[in-house]
Amino acid sequence: MDNKRIDIIVPCYNEEQNIEVLYEAVQAVETQIAQSGEYRDSYDFSYIFIDDGSTDGTLEQIKRIADRGAEELTAVKYISFSRNFGKEAAIFAGLKASVKGTKGGRPADLAVLIDADLQHPPQLIEEMLKKMEETDCDSVAARRVSRKGEPKIRSAFARLFYKLMNRYCEIEIVDGAVDFRLMAHRMVKAIAEMPETQRFSKGIFAWVGFDTEWIEFENVKRLSGESKWTVWSLTKYAIDGFIDFADSPLKFAGAFGGIIAAGSALYFIIEIIKTIVMGKDTPGYASTICLILFFGGVIIAILGLIGEYIGRMYLETKGRPVYVEKESNIEE
Ligand code: UDP
Ligand code: MG
């Protein structure tokens, strides 16, 4: 029987009401596992909270939990950002800290990524560990099977997104996959070493590979506070995710250009033959204008598309850090 260390990584942005509840719920899971006697290994939980530039009392709450952890002999580490850098940055910081090791330098054997708002039921961690013991996989990820309580239009767009993504990107993203997963150290390490600054975790998890098992759960409403997503930010997230993992739009643009060029060549030949055989006919003013406007539009749209990629290259080449740390209780 091995004693395995698990880092529970929690990205938090304005979650002051939820942190303590989450901590207690996960602690209860640890106790439950220890008492059940159904597991091959024994597990020792520690926590890494990432305060993503919250403007409420989130950091104070985390510090309270850290003090409480000290009494309960549970390591509770935190990293607080200098401003809100987004969930992707928070996830990255948490995984990096886990790989570096927060407790006496030895990295954790496993890491669990979980939302602070209790939309990811902590009891599922038991199921995840069981599955990992049974199958010896590298990762167990959760998948929402219902989108109950979510606006219909959001579900429809989400489905469209997964369809496009899986069709045009080389990676497979599972519909309903959420950022709630258990990962072995080697997978965490692979992810933490990916240098890109514009990060799309759903894609990265799939890209790094490793054996992943899926468990399903029903959608749960967040405990307190509101979702940080707006229609606009979700749309932007979807486009970013797509562009991060697909270059097919560029290939389409190229193919489209090729088809037009071939068509024009054919049309050109037909016109020459017609002129030789039948002489000149009256010029078509309206059709000329239409064609000019149409292709003007297409060219500008494709330039914009190329711009999207160049813009990302520009940001990527700057090599700015993904986040800036303001304070932390993790010793260097
Ligand atoms: N989150 C974060 N930074 C952000 C936005 C969200 O760390 O800029 C965290 C948030 O505190 C929560 C998780 O990411 O723990 C999921 O966020 P949210 O509940 O808003 O997303 P949803 O569940 O609606 O997809
Ligand atoms: Mg949520």
Side-chain angles (χ1 to χ4, degrees):
M1 191 158 148
D2 264 348
N3 198 356
K4 292 209 163 136
R5 271 201 48 226
I6 307 185
D7 277 332
I8 308 288
I9 299 172
V10 196
C12 311
Y13 178 52
N14 294 347
E15 304 280 6
E16 59 180 356
Q17 307 283 336
N18 300 329
I19 284 163
E20 188 166 14
V21 188
L22 177 89
Y23 173 75
E24 283 172 0
V26 179
Q27 285 290 85
V29 169
E30 184 182 7
T31 314
Q32 172 70 28
I33 291 175
Q35 289 170 351
S36 80
E38 290 167 25
Y39 294 80
R40 183 182 67 201
D41 300 322
S42 66
Y43 298 98
D44 183 12
F45 287 26
S46 23
Y47 296 78
I48 304 174
F49 286 95
I50 297 94
D51 163 36
D52 185 10
S54 301
T55 49
D56 65 355
T58 297
L59 183 58
E60 284 68 42
Q61 279 299 322
I62 295 174
K63 286 180 175 168
R64 272 194 41 209
I65 297 296
D67 291 341
R68 202 175 129 181
E71 286 162 27
E72 296 168 2
L73 298 177
T74 302
V76 177
K77 301 293 177 184
Y78 63 84
I79 300 169
S80 178
F81 290 175
S82 60
R83 65 168 169 86
N84 179 244
F85 281 90
K87 185 182 179 188
E88 292 293 335
I91 292 176
F92 182 50
L95 295 176
K96 256 178 43 177
S98 174
V99 168
K100 241 172 74 187
T102 55
K103 204 178 178 183
R106 182 166 88 87
D109 306 289
L110 302 163
V112 169
L113 190 61
I114 186 169
D115 276 4
D117 57 6
L118 285 114
Q119 277 189 301
H120 297 163
Q123 313 82 268
L124 284 188
I125 297 174
E126 291 173 44
E127 217 178 301
M128 288 175 166
L129 285 168
K130 214 167 244 160
K131 194 139 217 167
M132 188 172 256
E133 288 192 353
E134 279 164 15
T135 60
D136 270 322
C137 58
D138 299 298
S139 175
V140 183
R143 200 182 140 238
R144 260 191 329 197
V145 280
S146 75
R147 290 179 166 270
K148 257 197 313 231
E150 188 185 74
K152 284 239 158 44
I153 181 100
R154 180 169 163 178
S155 306
F157 272 112
R159 259 193 292 275
L160 176 71
F161 170 71
Y162 287 112
K163 227 168 147 177
L164 287 175
M165 201 73 196
N166 289 331
R167 183 131 190 211
Y168 297 111
C169 303
E170 57 206 78
I171 50 167
E172 169 92 28
I173 296 184
V174 174
D175 187 2
V178 294
D179 300 330
F180 179 23
R181 56 166 79 213
L182 166 71
M183 285 172 278
H185 175 75
R186 55 182 172 203
M187 180 166 177
V188 180
K189 186 155 177 277
I191 295 170
E193 280 171 359
M194 284 180 74
E196 59 217 76
T197 56
Q198 295 155 79
R199 305 182 73 86
F200 180 65
S201 283
K202 284 188 200 327
I204 290 177
F205 290 139
W207 190 90
V208 293
F210 294 102
D211 302 334
T212 301
E213 294 286 333
W214 293 89
I215 59 174
E216 299 182 338
F217 74 105
E218 294 273 324
N219 201 21
V220 190
K221 279 222 166 82
R222 67 159 35 241
L223 181 65
S224 156
E226 357 189 282
S227 169
K228 279 86 197 176
W229 293 105
T230 60
V231 175
W232 171 239
S233 68
L234 260 181
T235 312
K236 198 175 156 298
Y237 181 66
I239 294 175
D240 283 347
F242 190 78
I243 291 186
D244 276 353
F245 281 91
D247 61 359
S248 36
L250 292 175
K251 291 189 180 129
F252 273 137
F256 184 71
I259 293 168
I260 300 293
S264 322
L266 198 68
Y267 179 68
F268 188 57
I269 294 167
I270 294 172
E271 281 302 302
I272 290 176
I273 295 173
K274 258 170 68 183
T275 313
I276 292 170
V277 177
M278 306 191 286
K280 261 196 158 66
D281 58 347
T282 32
Y285 170 77
S287 57
T288 311
I289 292 290
C290 285
L291 280 174
I292 289 177
L293 289 180
F294 175 69
F295 285 108
V298 169
I299 290 167
I300 294 171
I302 290 178
L303 277 178
L305 176 73
I306 297 172
E308 285 291 322
Y309 284 87
I310 295 182
R312 281 175 177 72
M313 282 166 62
Y314 169 66
L315 290 177
E316 211 63 51
T317 49
K318 285 195 193 190
R320 284 184 184 156
V322 177
Y323 58 89
V324 175
E325 203 176 294
K326 192 169 71 185
E327 61 173 293
S328 166
N329 65 349
I330 302 174
E331 304 99 45
E332 277 304 306

